[in-house]
Amino acid sequence: MRVVKPDHPLIAHKLTYLRDKRTDSPTFRRLAEELMTLLAYEATRDVRVEPFAIETPVAPTTGIKLSNPKPLVVPILRAGLGMLEGMVRLLPSAEVGFLGMQRDEATLAITTYANRLPSDLSGRQVYVLDPMLATGGSMSDAIHFLIERGADDITAVCLLAAPEGVARLEKNLAEVSPPVTLVVGAIDEKLNANGYIVPGLGDAGDRLYGLV
């Protein structure tokens, strides 16, 4: 697995305010979208393109456009929705699928409760969005789910990660070829006994949308 952690002051700046417990939900959502757009710039560095002939007001030239099939963006519900707008702002022509995965707070076990994805992902570049890579369980399960449907070019994008989550993802995806790419805003200190990232930012879903 290839891990990309961009070193940019704006990423650190936005993460600081996301972490602050005084940041309200509307501000948190806006910052998450803005941070996602910064991370999306790195995540799409290898997006597939093809030549495209155009005419400028001065002369003909050849540029590039996104290749077909278009990239697929898959936010993991519900917290991944907070990253979706920031991603499609950079990739407006991408298609969007949804995957609902939930962690049992007591056992930390992962269950899949919703799936809105094409049955065949062969030849598709897939970008999986989840704010927090904590234990790594939900992201690992999501990526294997996509691989079973034929995806062979997968990039995971997270705002924050714990070292334990990165290690688990590396272990569970060691045999995947070509390697999965993980783009993350920061890798924090550790997980606590409840499976939360330390120092982290709390429960991303609750901070994005409030308690349910």
Side-chain angles (χ1 to χ4, degrees), residues 7-210:
D7 182 16
H8 196 291
L10 283 179
I11 291 176
H13 166 77
K14 294 181 188 302
L15 270 175
T16 298
Y17 285 93
L18 282 172
R19 294 180 189 277
D20 193 334
K21 66 181 183 180
R22 297 169 296 182
T23 300
D24 58 24
S25 287
T27 306
F28 192 95
R29 287 194 295 270
R30 175 177 58 79
L31 288 168
E33 289 181 8
E34 292 172 354
L35 178 54
M36 180 62 235
T37 299
L38 293 172
L39 295 176
Y41 180 82
E42 289 297 330
T44 56
R45 188 172 292 277
D46 295 322
V47 68
R48 293 172 186 161
V49 295
E50 60 188 46
F52 184 51
I54 61 170
E55 289 194 19
T56 77
V58 179
T61 190
T62 300
I64 59 172
K65 66 175 182 177
L66 294 183
S67 300
N68 285 314
K70 294 293 191 295
L72 179 68
V73 179
V74 181
I76 298 179
L77 303 178
R78 70 178 166 142
L81 287 176
M83 303 168 68
L84 178 59
E85 185 61 31
M87 185 72 180
V88 298
R89 182 180 293 120
L90 202 65
L91 273 180
S93 62
E95 296 181 354
V96 179
F98 298 95
L99 192 57
M101 309 191 82
Q102 189 171 22
R103 182 178 68 169
D104 186 290
E105 297 298 334
T107 67
L108 304 184
I110 304 296
T111 58
T112 300
Y113 65 87
N115 162 30
R116 188 68 174 176
L117 295 169
S119 58
D120 185 4
L121 296 176
S122 301
R124 301 291 294 269
Q125 282 187 296
V126 182
Y127 297 90
V128 191
L129 314 181
D130 197 6
M132 314 295 284
L133 182 65
T135 65
S138 58
M139 181 61 79
S140 179
D141 287 353
I143 290 172
H144 280 294
F145 189 90
L146 296 168
I147 291 171
E148 289 171 2
R149 295 198 167 204
D152 61 1
D153 190 332
I154 300 172
T155 298
V157 188
C158 302
L159 305 184
L160 280 182
E164 296 91 335
V166 175
R168 181 174 180 179
L169 210 58
E170 288 179 325
K171 179 181 178 181
N172 290 353
L173 303 176
E175 304 301 320
V176 174
S177 181
V180 170
T181 297
L182 170 65
V183 178
V184 61
I187 300 175
D188 275 8
E189 180 184 340
K190 62 180 180 179
L191 290 179
N192 65 16
N194 296 319
Y196 282 91
I197 299 174
V198 179
L201 50 76
D203 187 299
D206 289 349
R207 297 198 64 192
L208 281 162
Y209 304 115

